[in-house]
Structures are given as structure tokens and as C-alpha cells.
């Protein structure tokens, strides 16, 4: 029987059975299709050996007037400006900082066993675990905890109470320092603390039960501490013993076995007078006294108490079955950033937080400041929003999901966030937001949905998503400045970073579909839809990140698989060839090439990478493969025997690090419902490049079955491969 040429349709199809997809590809990793044929994707390498703190979920690149090439990176812990491979921390300082001298004091352990832990006392500090604070003008505590140790930036380890927290002492090189018996001082009366804005979550915290959160209960303050007390509670226990350092006071709220408890009072080191099911009114008339029977829910003999903020004010807390007060939300979303450059300056916004401004003239060593504090006549500047953007066509600053207007003479907005409100500044003026007849400031309110999700600027308009609709926002000039027109309803978007624009298209991932907008909205036919949406962690949808790789006409979405808490998968739509493929790769943010020669991306390790750089995984070999759907002779009523494979492969572009090679595997089986039981494999190795590229001429394999599939895989360092149309020596082998 003559050799049979194998030619497959481009793209991966997973939403059909393997037999139904005969003549196509059904699986792959780190491959793309170009001119209809599969090839290995480009590799990546670290952009710089420096690292940043936290997980980056936002990248923005621009060039200043003097040619400085800046890259903004927003992480869950900080905001950086990268220039020349150096990360400059420009994280804004919190309102109220720096503190007055002397309001902060320190205490260290002065008897054995000594410790590196320092307790910091600061009344109403407002910090949460992980926050960063920089101390200055601190005097030595008398021993190892000297001024050099204390006068630097620290990350808060644990918040003990509203007035104290702990840090771990370190020297200027980051080496841990342990106290001694002479560290009896408190740091002196000149200590000043500079607190950066609160850090954000790195993973979504999903609620359970009615109202989400702690069974519908919450306070305005964050979780303060976690206590683990060993021992088994008996059915007669009415008192819980805790240590005196917890900071729990009367009227605090704690959580015991997922049940909310109001602390009635503190007696010595015992919690007493606790009441269950706090209703937020300050009265215990409708609640039960904490008493016998609580131990019935304990199965591991341990007790976990989460100390909460003070709950004296009814608006601060809602208990079991009590509806949430208006304007209050549980903090469950991860830290996301929006940013845009206003000229050579930078506007940044942590989602659902303030708006900040970094000025080029202050230099990369200066921090961003609140927008309402920059010089000039300020009117009604937003103090909170979900996204900030500069409209490039008309030079208005837009705040989506913003607070409302303040008064005509107020420097700031009213501080009450409206999730559907869009506000815009006067043209060419980022600090004048109050609408009068002499400016172009104003506001609009979205009419569909319950909250704003995302806005993207295109060539003709700004597209605005809510949780249920897509709206077009266009500049129409005075007197209204902007106008809104709904484009589609009853659509979804998976997260704030799930939409991307390229050329004349906008693509986005929805809750269970992919969409495209090119003058009108349409669902994208997707051949891997079930593969993606049946294996996705919906709790981490806010981590989904869409990106464009324009060199190859690709749109990426990075997402967390169902078994992962971090992005570990990607799916690609090639909008030129209208095909899909997917793979495994950990990326948290992506930026297409522009003023820099390669696409940029980040992962969870704190590194920035050049993508499409070389052919390896940051210097290590990358595994890539493509596997076909099964093929047969006739309708599979005959057995086949595959004896030879004639490779058609190119290693053009491979480096000389090692000999480029790829493995061809023929996998055979008898029935669709069984695994491949008979395989034959051979490795194709390049032997010569010039004058003609030469590699292994033929591979002898032996695979017998009613149907067979082809798999091509490479794990060689420096290898770049592209598959053509291989041929197989396939013969009919009888019916049994």
C-alpha cells in the first residue's frame, strides 16, 4: 500500500468526540498554528534579575517627553515604576501619614527566650496584616534593636488590635535581628510612621451562606487575629480562655465554629458574657447566651477564634439573617489596578479605592499622591472609583464606579461610591470635576446592571461593561460632552481584566462564552469551550487576564483551572485564522509589544518576562506537543498496521544549545472507549542545516489497531519546530 500523507485542519477541537474530529487536532500544549500548520510557541526569559513584591495584575507602558521608557506594575502589595531594569516603589502613602511624632512606641522581648518580634503600639493605626510602614527618627531600644534596625520599611506580620501590631526586626541587609536584655526602651518621643495604602487580597475570598461573608455578618474593620486553642470543649463549657495579648475587648465580635459571637465583657483572661447571633442593635434580647452545647460542632478538639473590629455601631455589622446596610460591601475582591498616562504623568487607581497621581517632574524616587492634593484649583475630585482612564481623543479623565459630586467649592467628591456612576473631568484638567457652564466636566449613569465591571477605549468609542450589559460611550461635544448607547443586554464578562481590544475588534471572556465586538456584539464559536469552562476555578475569575499577541494575531486568556488557585492555563483565539488552541502556562498579567520589542508578562514569582524570546522556558527546556484525533481505514472495520513514518518537519530557527529533535509517536487502539494500548515512537533529529536542512529520513514504528493517532512532541533545549505533512506507511491488517 502506498504512503499516506497526513494533513490536518488547523486549530484544536475538544468539543467533539475524537472520531467525529477525524482529520483534526484534539490536544496540544505550547503550540500555535501559522499558515495552517502547528509549530512551537516562542519562549521567554527574565526581563531583569530584579524582582517585585506581590503578584502583578496590571501593566502599562509609556514614554515621557525626554524619552524615558516607563512601565507601571500594580501588584496586590505595591505599585512600581520600572525603568532600566530597576523597580521604583511609588506606592501612595495613606491619608493621615506621616504620623505626628511620638504617637508610635515599640517594645521588644527583654528576657529569654529572646525574640525578633517587636510589638508596635499606635492607637487607631488602621493597618491590616501585610501593610507596609516606614519608621523614622526612632531611637535605639538599648540593645540589638538599634536605630539602624528600626528606621526602615517594615511589613506588618500580624495585627493584634486596633492599637497594636507586630513586625519582625531585621538589619539593613534583611537579616533577622534578635533582641537582648538591654532592649528596654520604647523608641523615643520623635518616632514618625509613614503608612502606605492598605495592601489588597491575592486570592478571592468567597462567602458562604445567605448574604455571603461570615453567614451574612461583617464589620467595617478587617480580621484582627487568629487564635488556635488546643483542647476539647465539653458540653458544659460557658467560658473560653484566651491569652491577654489578643486585644479582644467588650463589644468585639468573634467567630466560633462559623457562628458569630458578641463579646459581652472581659474578666481576667476569660471571655465571658458572650452572646450568639448578634443582630447589630447592641441589644441581646433576641440572642442566646453562649453556653452548653457549643462543643457539639467540634470534631478536632480545637477552637478557632477570629477577633473582629468593634461592633458597637449598628451600621458596622449585620448578623445572621439581617440584611446588609446600604453602601456596605464585603471585601472579597483581589487587588486590581487601573492606570493611564496623562501626558507624561501617571494616574493610578486600586479598584474600589482612591485615585492617585504620579508626576514625572518629581522623579522615580517620589511616590504617587492623592489626585485631590496636587497643585491647582480642585473641585469635586473623585475619592473612590473602580477604574480610571484618560480619553485619548478629547483628553478627559474618566472615573467609572465613582463617588458622587461634592459641593461647588469642595475639593473632593462626596465619598459615597455609586457602582454605576461615570464621572469625567473638564477637558485637559485632571482636577476639575465639578460641572459648570465654563468647563466640560460632568457625569453619566449606566442604566443596566448592578455594577460597573470594565471599560476599554477603541478607535471610535469607549466600551463599558456592567455585569449584564455592554454600552458604548462616545464623545459628542458640548453641552453634554459624552453620550451613552446600550449595545447589548443579557451578556456577561468574566472579570475586570477579561476584555482586550486589538485592531478593529474587542474580544472578551464571559461566564460561559466568548464574545467579539466589531460594530455589533456576537458570540464567538469556540471549539474548546467545554475544555475551558468545565475546568475553570470560578472563585478566581477576577484573576482572568486577557492579552494580545499582535505579531501572531492571537488573543490570550490566562485563567486558573478548577484544581488551582492561581492562573495555570491559557486559551488562545487566532482572529486571523479563526481557530482556537490552549495550553498550560502561569501568567498573571500580559502586555503586547509596543515601545518595547517583545510582549511582557508576569507570573507569581515576582519576575517580569520578555515573551516570544528564544525557544526555552527562561533557560530551561520547554515541553511542547500536538496530538491528532484518531484516524482509521474505512469505518474502522479493519485492523491497520503502521510500520513507518516519513517526517516532514523543520527545525529552522533553533539555537545551537543542543541538537534539535522531536519525537513522533503513533498511538493505536481498537475501540473509541478504550485507552491507546499499542504505540510506536521514534525521534527525528536534525543532522545538518546547510546547504539543505537534513534530519532523520524515516522512523520505523509498529502500531496495530482499528484506529491510530499521531503525536509530535519536543523537549529539547533550544529547539524550534514546525510540522508539515508527514506520511505514514499504513497497511490493512485483517479484521482480527
Amino acid at each position: 500500500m502506498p504512503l499516506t500523507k497526513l494533513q490536518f485542519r488547523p486549530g484544536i477541537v475538544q468539543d467533539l468526540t475524537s472520531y467525529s474530529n477525524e482529520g483534526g487536532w484534539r490536544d496540544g500544549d505550547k503550540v500555535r498554528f501559522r499558515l495552517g500548520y502547528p509549530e512551537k510557541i516562542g519562549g521567554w526569559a527574565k526581563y531583569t534579575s530584579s524582582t517585585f513584591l506581590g503578584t502583578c495584575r496590571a501593566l502599562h507602558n509609556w514614554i515621557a517627553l525626554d524619552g524615558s521608557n516607563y512601565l507601571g506594575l500594580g501588584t496586590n502589595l505595591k505599585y512600581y515604576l520600572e525603568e532600566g531594569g530597576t523597580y521604583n516603589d511609588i506606592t501612595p502613602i495613606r491619608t493621615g501619614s506621616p504620623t505626628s511624632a511620638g504617637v508610635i512606641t515599640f517594645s521588644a522581648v527583654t528576657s529569654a527566650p529572646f525574640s525578633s518580634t517587636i510589638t508596635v503600639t499606635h492607637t487607631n493605626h488602621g493597618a491590616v496584616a501585610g501593610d507596609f510602614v516606614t519608621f523614622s527618627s526612632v531611637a535605639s531600644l538599648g540593645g540589638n534593636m538599634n536605630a539602624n534596625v528600626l528606621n526602615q520599611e517594615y511589613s506588618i506580620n500580624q495585627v493584634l488590635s486596633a492599637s497594636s501590631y507586630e513586625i519582625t526586626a531585621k538589619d539593613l541587609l534583611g537579616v533577622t535581628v534578635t533582641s537582648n536584655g538591654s532592649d528596654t526602651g520604647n523608641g523615643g518621643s520623635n518616632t514618625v510612621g509613614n503608612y502606605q495604602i492598605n495592601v489588597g487580597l491575592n486570592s478571592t475570598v468567597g462567602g458562604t451562606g445567605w448574604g455571603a461573608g461570615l453567614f451574612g455578618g461583617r464589620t467595617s474593620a478587617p480580621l484582627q487575629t487568629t487564635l488556635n486553642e488546643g483542647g476539647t470543649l465539653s458540653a458544659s463549657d460557658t467560658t473560653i480562655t484566651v491569652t491577654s495579648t489578643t486585644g479582644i475587648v467588650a463589644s468585639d465580635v468573634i467567630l466560633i465554629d462559623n457562628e458569630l459571637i458578641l463579646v459581652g465583657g472581659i474578666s481576667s483572661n476569660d471571655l465571658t458574657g458572650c452572646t450568639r447571633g448578634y443582630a447589630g442593635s447592641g441589644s441581646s434580647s433576641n440572642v442566646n447566651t453562649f453556653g452548653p452545647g457549643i462543643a457539639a460542632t467540634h470534631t478536632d478538639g480545637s477552637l478557632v477564634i477570629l477577633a473582629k473590629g468593634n461592633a458597637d455601631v449598628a451600621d458596622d455589622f449585620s448578623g445572621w439573617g439581617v440584611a446588609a446596610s446600604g453602601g456596605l460591601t464585603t471585601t472579597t475582591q483581589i487587588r486590581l489596578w487601573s492606570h493611564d498616562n496623562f501626558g507624561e504623568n501617571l494616574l493610578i487607581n486600586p479598584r474600589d479605592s482612591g485615585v492617585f497621581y504620579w508626576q514625572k517632574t518629581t522623579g522615580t524616587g517620589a511616590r504617587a499622591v492623592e489626585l485631590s492634593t496636587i497643585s491647582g484649583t480642585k473641585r469635586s475630585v473623585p475619592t473612590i472609583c473602580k477604574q480610571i482612564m484618560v480619553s485619548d481623543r478629547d483628553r478627559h479623565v474618566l472615573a467609572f464606579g465613582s463617588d458622587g459630586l461634592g459641593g461647588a467649592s469642595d475639593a473632593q467628591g462626596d465619598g459615597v461610591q455609586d457602582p454605576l456612576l461615570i464621572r469625567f473631568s473638564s477637558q485637559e484638567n485632571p482636577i476639575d470635576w465639578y460641572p459648570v457652564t465654563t468647563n466640560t466636566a460632568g457625569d453619566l449613569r449606566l442604566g443596566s446592571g448592578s455594577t460597573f465591571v470594565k471599560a476599554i477605549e477603541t478607535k471610535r468609542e469607549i466600551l463599558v461593561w456592567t455585569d449584564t450589559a455592554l454600552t458604548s460611550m462616545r464623545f459628542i461635544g458640548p453641552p453634554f460632552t459624552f453620550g451613552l448607547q446600550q449595545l447589548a443586554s443579557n451578556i456577561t464578562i468574566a472579570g475586570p481584566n477579561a476584555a482586550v481590544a486589538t485592531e478593529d475588534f474587542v474580544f472578551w471572556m464571559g461566564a460561559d462564552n466568548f464574545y467579539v465586538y466589531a460594530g455589533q456584539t456576537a458570540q464567538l464559536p469556540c471549539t474548546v469551550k467545554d475544555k475551558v469552562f468545565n475546568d475553570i476555578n470560578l472563585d478566581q475569575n477576577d484573576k482572568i487576564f486577557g492579552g494580545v499577541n499582535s505579531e501572531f494575531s492571537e488573543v490570550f486568556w490566562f485563567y486558573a483551572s478548577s484544581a488551582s488557585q492561581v492562573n495555570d492555563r491559557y486559551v488562545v483565539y487566532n482572529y486571523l485564522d479563526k481557530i482556537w488552541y490552549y495550553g498550560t502556562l502561569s501568567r498573571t498579567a500580559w502586555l503586547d509589544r509596543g515601545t518595547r520589542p517583545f510582549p511582557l508578562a508576569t507570573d507569581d514569582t515576582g519576575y517580569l518576562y520578555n515573551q516570544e524570546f528564544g525557544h526555552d522556558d527562561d533557560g530551561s527546556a520547554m515541553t511542547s506537543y500536538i496530538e491528532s484525533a484518531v484516524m482509521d481505514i474505512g469505518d474502522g472495520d479493519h485492523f491497520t498496521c503502521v510500520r513507518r513514518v516519513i517526517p516532514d518537519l523543520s527545525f529552522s530557527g533553533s539555537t545551537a544549545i543542543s541538537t534539535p529533535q522531536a519525537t513522533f509517536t503513533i498511538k493505536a487502539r481498537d475501540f473509541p472507549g478504550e485507552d491507546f494500548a499499542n504505540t510506536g515512537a521514534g525521534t527525528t533529529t536534525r543532522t545538518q542545516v546547510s546547504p539543505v536542512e537534513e534530519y532523520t529520513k524515516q522512523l520505523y514504528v509498529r502500531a496495530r489497531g482499528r484506529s491510530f493517532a499521531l503525536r509530535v512532541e519536543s523537549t529539547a533545549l533550544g529547539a524550534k519546530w514546525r510540522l508539515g505533512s508527514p506520511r505514514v506507511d499504513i497497511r490493512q491488517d485483517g479484521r482480527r
Side-chain angles (χ1 to χ4, degrees), residues 263-297:
V263 178
I266 301 292
S267 175
S268 184
N269 291 334
D270 297 336
L271 298 183
T272 60
C274 293
T275 52
R276 186 183 311 168
Y278 179 53
S281 63
S283 169
S284 60
S285 58
N286 295 320
V287 295
N288 300 318
T289 300
F290 171 70
I294 190 71
T297 60

Side-chain angles (χ1 to χ4, degrees), residues 363-382:
T364 54
R367 295 185 180 275
V369 298
E370 289 187 51
L371 182 61
S372 61
T373 65
I374 66 174
S375 60
T377 303
K378 299 172 283 291
R379 293 193 294 184
S380 202
V381 177

Side-chain angles (χ1 to χ4, degrees), residues 134-264:
T134 301
F135 302 112
S136 58
S137 302
V138 187
S140 172
L141 301 190
N144 291 339
M145 304 302 184
N146 58 43
N148 287 334
V149 169
L150 297 172
N151 287 299
Q152 57 178 311
E153 181 182 272
Y154 277 96
S155 174
I156 295 173
N157 293 341
Q158 180 179 219
V159 174
L160 302 177
S161 71
S163 298
S164 62
Y165 55 85
E166 291 180 346
I167 61 174
T168 299
K170 60 184 180 180
D171 64 18
L172 297 179
L173 298 177
V175 179
T176 300
V177 175
T178 302
S179 64
N180 63 25
S182 300
D183 286 308
T184 57
N186 66 2
S189 60
N190 296 318
T191 299
V192 172
N194 237 4
Y195 291 89
Q196 297 171 27
I197 58 173
N198 294 136
V199 298
L201 295 176
N202 195 29
S203 286
T204 302
V205 180
T208 56
W210 179 86
L214 303 176
F215 289 92
R218 65 175 185 276
T219 71
S220 59
L223 293 179
Q224 303 269 335
T225 187
T226 301
L227 311 172
N228 294 281
E229 181 174 307
T232 302
L233 291 178
S234 69
S236 61
D237 282 334
T238 59
T239 298
I240 304 169
T241 302
V242 296
T243 65
S244 58
T245 61
T246 61
I248 299 175
V249 297
S251 296
D252 271 2
V253 179
I254 61 175
L255 184 71
I256 303 176
D257 275 349
N258 288 327
E259 187 157 8
L260 293 163
I261 305 294
L262 173 66
V263 178

Side-chain angles (χ1 to χ4, degrees), residues 339-638:
H339 39 200
D340 207 347
N341 55 289
F342 188 82
E344 62 178 358
N345 301 326
L346 180 67
L347 284 157
I348 60 177
N349 164 237
R351 192 174 181 87
D352 292 321
S353 189
V355 182
F356 303 93
Y357 196 66
W358 177 82
Q359 293 177 283
K360 168 68 168 60
T361 55
T362 61
T364 54
R367 295 185 180 275
V369 298
E370 289 187 51
L371 182 61
S372 61
T373 65
I374 66 174
S375 60
T377 303
K378 299 172 283 291
R379 293 193 294 184
S380 202
V381 177
T383 63
I384 185 172
C385 67
K386 292 180 176 291
Q387 182 179 338
I388 199 76
M389 175 190 291
V390 177
S391 177
D392 291 334
R393 176 183 175 185
D394 44 87
R395 297 276 292 173
H396 289 83
V397 181
L398 299 99
F400 300 88
S402 173
D403 59 346
L405 292 171
S409 60
D410 292 339
Q412 298 180 334
D414 64 10
V416 180
Q417 187 177 21
D418 183 340
L420 293 175
L421 181 66
I422 305 173
R423 292 180 59 201
F424 46 91
S425 72
S426 185
Q427 195 168 23
E428 296 284 356
N429 192 334
I431 58 174
D432 186 6
W433 295 73
Y434 193 86
V436 294
T437 57
T438 56
N439 70 14
T440 57
D443 60 67
L444 297 166
R445 198 172 191 277
L446 296 165
S448 296
S450 60
T451 186
F452 163 86
V453 179
K454 177 70 174 179
I456 283 185
E457 187 172 22
T458 69
K459 296 178 181 178
R460 296 177 296 271
E461 61 200 322
I462 296 172
L463 297 181
V464 183
W465 285 263
T466 66
D467 50 349
T468 63
L470 175 63
T471 300
S472 170
M473 181 176 179
R474 292 179 183 244
F475 178 72
I476 58 176
F480 301 108
T481 310
F482 288 96
L484 296 176
Q485 179 182 1
Q486 184 170 303
L487 300 174
S489 58
N490 297 320
I491 63 168
T492 60
I493 182 170
N497 288 323
V500 291
T502 177
E503 299 180 7
D504 292 324
F505 303 99
V506 177
F507 302 94
W508 72 96
M509 178 190 281
D512 53 7
N513 276 297
F514 293 94
Y515 298 88
V516 60
Y517 174 78
Q520 61 181 9
T521 303
Q523 285 189 20
L524 275 177
C526 180
T527 59
V528 295
K529 176 182 173 181
D530 289 347
K531 172 71 175 180
V532 174
F533 291 107
N534 289 342
D535 184 26
I536 189 170
N537 188 340
L538 297 178
D539 290 337
Q540 304 302 327
N541 265 7
D542 283 346
K543 295 180 180 178
I544 294 172
F545 201 98
V548 176
N549 191 0
S550 56
E551 181 183 2
F552 297 98
S553 304
E554 295 172 333
V555 178
F556 279 79
W557 286 276
F558 299 95
Y559 63 95
S561 64
S562 56
S564 175
Q565 296 294 309
V566 299
N567 289 354
D568 61 345
R569 298 283 191 275
Y570 69 85
V571 60
V572 177
Y573 179 64
N574 185 309
Y575 53 86
L576 182 63
D577 295 333
K578 296 180 173 55
I579 56 175
W580 294 85
Y581 33 100
Y582 59 81
T584 60
L585 187 60
S586 175
R587 291 294 182 265
T588 60
W590 178 282
L591 183 67
D592 194 18
R593 68 178 186 179
T595 65
R596 302 193 181 190
F598 300 99
L600 298 172
T602 57
D603 64 9
D604 289 287
T605 64
Y607 283 105
L608 177 68
Y609 295 94
N610 277 324
Q611 297 287 146
E612 302 298 335
F613 184 90
H615 314 301
D616 298 312
D617 175 1
D618 194 31
S620 300
M622 181 202 309
T623 297
S624 60
Y625 72 87
I626 187 78
E627 184 173 321
S628 74
V630 295
M631 300 161 281
D632 55 27
I633 294 179
D635 289 324
D637 54 343
H638 290 275

